[in-house]
Amino acid sequence: MVITPEMRSRIEAAMEKYPQKRGALLPALHIVHEAVGHVTPETARELATLFDLRPPDVMEVVHFYNMFYDRPQGRHHVYVCTNLPCSLRGARSLVRALEAHLGIEAGETTKDGRITLGHEECLGACAYAPMMRVDDEYHEDLDVEEAKRILDGLE
Amino acid sequence: MPQITVDGEVIEVAAGRTILQALDDAGLLMNGVDVPHYCWHPKLTIDGSCRLCQVEVEGIPKLQIACNTPVKDGMVVHTKTDRVKRAREGVMELLLINHPLDCPICDQAGECKLQDYAYEYGVTHARTKEPRRAAKKRVDLGPTIVFDQERCILCRRCVRFCREIPQTGELAVFHRGDRSVIETFPGAELDNPYSMNVADICPVGALTTKDFRFKIRVWFLNDVPGVCTGCANGCNVHLGVATNKVYRYLPRRNDAVNDTWICDAGRMTYKEIGAESRLQRAYVRGPGGLQESGYKAALEHAASRLRALLDAKGPGVIAALASPHATNEDLLQLRRFLDAAGVQNAGVAVPIGPADELLIKAEKAANATGARALGFADAAGVVDRIRGGGVEALIALGHDVLDPAYLGGEAALAGLDTVIVLDTHRSELERVAHVLLPVRVAAEKHGTLTNHAGRVQRVRPAVEPAFEAYADGEVLAKLGARLGLAGFDGKWDVRAVSRALGRECPAFVGVDVESVGDEGRSLATVVAGATTGASV
Amino acid sequence: MGLKVPYVTSYLTEHFADDALGTIEGYEAKGGYAAARKVLRESTPESVIETMKASGLQGRGGAGFVTGLKWSFMPKGTEKPKYFCVNADESEPGSFKDRLLLERAPHKMLEGILIGAFAIGAEKTFIYIRGEYAYPAKQVQRAIDEAYAKGYLGRNVFGTGFSHDVVLHRGAGAYICGEETGLLESLEGRKGQPRKKPPFPAEYGAFGMPTTVNNVETFCHVPHILANGPDWFRGFGTEKSPGTTIFGVSGHVARPGLYELPLGTRLDEIIFEHAGGVPGGRKVKGVIPGGMSMPILPAGQLDVPMANEFLRERKTMLGTGGVMVMDETTCMVRASSIISYFFRDESCGQCTQCREGTGWIHKIVSRIERGSGSVDDLDLLLDICGKMEGQTICAFADAAAWPIQGMLRHFREDFELHLKHQKCPFPESFEL
């Protein structure tokens, strides 16, 4: 079982808030990702049972959203916004610098499993570009050196 | 009833219908009024994503999709304007930019809605210079279907079908945008009793059946309307025929019987027509066992044995088994034969299997209801008399009596003086039969079959057997003549016999092979006695 | 963490420098919840809707529909539960104003929700916040908890017998969930694929029940309108577009950030007077006025008042007021490449024209950017845009087509230079 009793009771608490329990599927997927980082077919089957859905119904939701994954990710998500306002202020050069610093390309994970680096669409920080999201935190008004320092501080 | 005007013609419509449904109800869709479409299907929920069915509705500035626009009294619709034309061209061009150039190797060619609509409504030149999307080809989706993701136009009919009809929901669209693909859950298969319908509803060659793959080009096939004989539902089919061979069944729409569907098992019964196991020769048992005798000699032998027994002991020692697969006409002829010969001991053995809530019926024969309507009770009584030793001759149409629910084997027949078998396929009966006479399946003759609900539906000869075989009724006509039975002149006029159904059996008033048409017609009263069997 | 306060404030964002405004005590100290209390105790739902209609407040989520009118579409006298949804999915590139309101004034939004819920008879509000807004979501949840603790949410709000629940729901990274019916689908635990209309959300919305969806900022204006009256509100902005909005300025300006200004403020005033103009003495080349879906304006058209009735004449729209300034070094083909990639990435994939068209447009623009374009590509791009516009389930296809049309309308020369030189002719342009 991937879904622990503790996760299950949190999911069931979320279900109470919606007129149909399926409304709690996104909250449930967030809970799963917080705990184990991605959704395997086994997890999808467990969720399907919990929600009275079929496994493909769960899997198609996983595949639709950027923040849900069907394969293991690094311990830390590092996503640099490379949409237009950020690119105007050097976001793409920042990505290239971080790729070089980590020795991976955007979309990949470092060999030690520490960091997954990626591009992301507009994160709502356009005036403070370039910026990146590290897990739940925004780091704004970045320069390359500061960005590297932040990455080096991740375990 | 509300009225709408489409391209200048006024149509009466039912309230609550969409424009596309109203056209379909009126029998005009793609048959007088062209509204090409992909994602809409008359028997599935409305999708609204292909955008091909856009039409102009007076009073509304934007084009509207006909599939999701409810009709209003007085609505005026235009399907032939330049705006509509351009919209269709737009959709067609955009569908083709990523579509692989597979036509030369694609089974769908010739019945492909992308080909058809591109030709009718599309642009003539490809303007794209970009590499096409690469995706998985030849995906083994399950036991019956092959899937080509590149050909898929994402109309989602297959996804909706699996969710709504068999309600197994194996398919889903994963990812988004132009990376969208249809897949099953990792490690799962498309596997349900109706799976092959997805190949029918797929407008393109993305979903094809393994059974039909690469067999024949569809433009070589003639479509003959017929009926599936796998169970008592009598789903309407098109038989696809070329060079005297049936290559496939496709479901034929009949909203009173099977909508647009057919179960996989029924669809595959076409194989029974040309099977190696067909009874292909007439046989007579001699001292050295069964020998090929030629049809005439077999008939003579059968007649002489029956005559001998009738003279010696009378009709009381003779039993007969009607076939639940034979036509109403065949079975009327059997009724006449038995009445003329004085044989009262008769019944029909009906094989039973699992049924479901959709189309599949427990009775695995197409005309059990017809047999009952024509006075044949269940064969249990005949079986008891055989076991009890009271039967010395058996005339068996078909071999369903071998089923465990009846005799469970041919042993009980070994001691009978005379066993005459009229059958379409070989069976263990040949171990005990004295005469074997090949007869035709439904696809090889004219006639009617009565489904579980009392609907009488016609069949037509789509192919000729490659060997000598006759309809059961015709064999009985010849046998009756040789026996000197009253009213038997050896001739067989199936249409005349069909017209006689209503005269000789009140349940059949008003139905005969011509009058039922290709849609079928219901019996005045449905005959009780059908077994429901276990659900699948 | 968190956004800096606006450089220019008005009624909506005054006091935002005070961190305590995010707490219920801080909010009430500044007069918060007084309007809602008065409305729930003394007004009728009908009068609230009339007030909202009279104010002329247009939705601040990009579509600009008159809010009071939207609220009046909700069915009356139905047994079915009614719902509000707050569209806090803010994913339009160039927009970050809702984030400010969520982080610094969640109670203002809740107060607006209460007033609106009373007006339409809604029993529950779902706040749909984009998944990436983890910190703002924490602030909103804290505010919700505070409001429940004080009896401002839940059973018997302010002792009036009116009950209302608020549920915070996080998205998971999909721009299309900012589309009204895409949001509803996502709320229900499905892919965020917009629904065909009819039926409309007021008839069949969240979980099949009558629902109204409004933007975060829209809700935030509501308490001010009810507190001060529609005439006061109409004192700001233009006749057709009353009130203020929070403009978000980004790109090549000296002071990128948020500016709460009346609608109708001229675009050049926003850029040069407030945001400090283009640094380094460079000139403006083009400005996207309302978030990336809105067609670009060239440097010669910055005199336009920022309100829909004027922007429409220039073939663009206010959208979410996300002002993106691009200076003379900018290659518009590169910009178009980023824009078209975004729409290709975010298309939900249902409608043929959008799914295939966004992909095709991106492929062509990228090819031109790389130097392999040819002359017929430009008219082809416009033709594809024409085939996408106005013919799909939702307006995403329009949003994908308009920017390209705008670019070719005003910056065709950039494209032609790419074709002529078979590479980017702007060496100083931002890197791709």
Side-chain angles (χ1 to χ4, degrees), chain A residues 17-18 30 65 89 96 124, chain C residues 99 124 169 171 190 251 431:
Chain A
K17 298 186 178 170
Y18 299 85
H30 278 300
Y65 295 95
R89 293 178 83 94
R96 275 194 266 283
Chain C
R99 182 181 153 203
K124 193 174 241 179
H169 177 100
R190 298 172 212 277
E431 263 186 76

Side-chain angles (χ1 to χ4, degrees), chain B residues 216-263:
Chain B
I216 188 169
R217 281 309 200 179
V218 305
W219 51 81
F220 293 127
L221 293 175
N222 283 323
D223 278 333
V224 179
V227 168
C228 170
T229 55
C231 80
N233 203 61
C235 295
N236 288 201
V237 294
H238 289 290
L239 291 82
V241 180
T243 53
N244 201 37
K245 181 175 157 182
V246 177
Y247 279 84
R248 66 175 183 185
Y249 282 172
L250 288 182
R252 180 163 60 94
R253 180 173 177 182
N254 189 327
D255 290 354
V257 180
N258 58 306
D259 283 344
T260 50
W261 318 123
I262 186 172
C263 75

Side-chain angles (χ1 to χ4, degrees), chain C residues 105-154:
Chain C
H107 282 290
K108 191 183 296 246
M109 175 183 64
L110 289 177
E111 187 178 2
I113 288 169
L114 265 177
I115 294 170
F118 175 76
I120 67 169
E123 65 177 51
K124 193 174 241 179
T125 294
F126 297 95
I127 300 175
Y128 187 103
I129 190 168
R130 65 177 293 186
E132 300 90 335
Y133 275 3
Y135 175 75
K138 282 205 187 70
Q139 309 316 309
V140 174
Q141 186 61 56
R142 189 179 41 71
I144 292 172
D145 295 340
E146 287 177 338
Y148 269 101
K150 235 180 156 172
Y152 294 2
L153 286 175

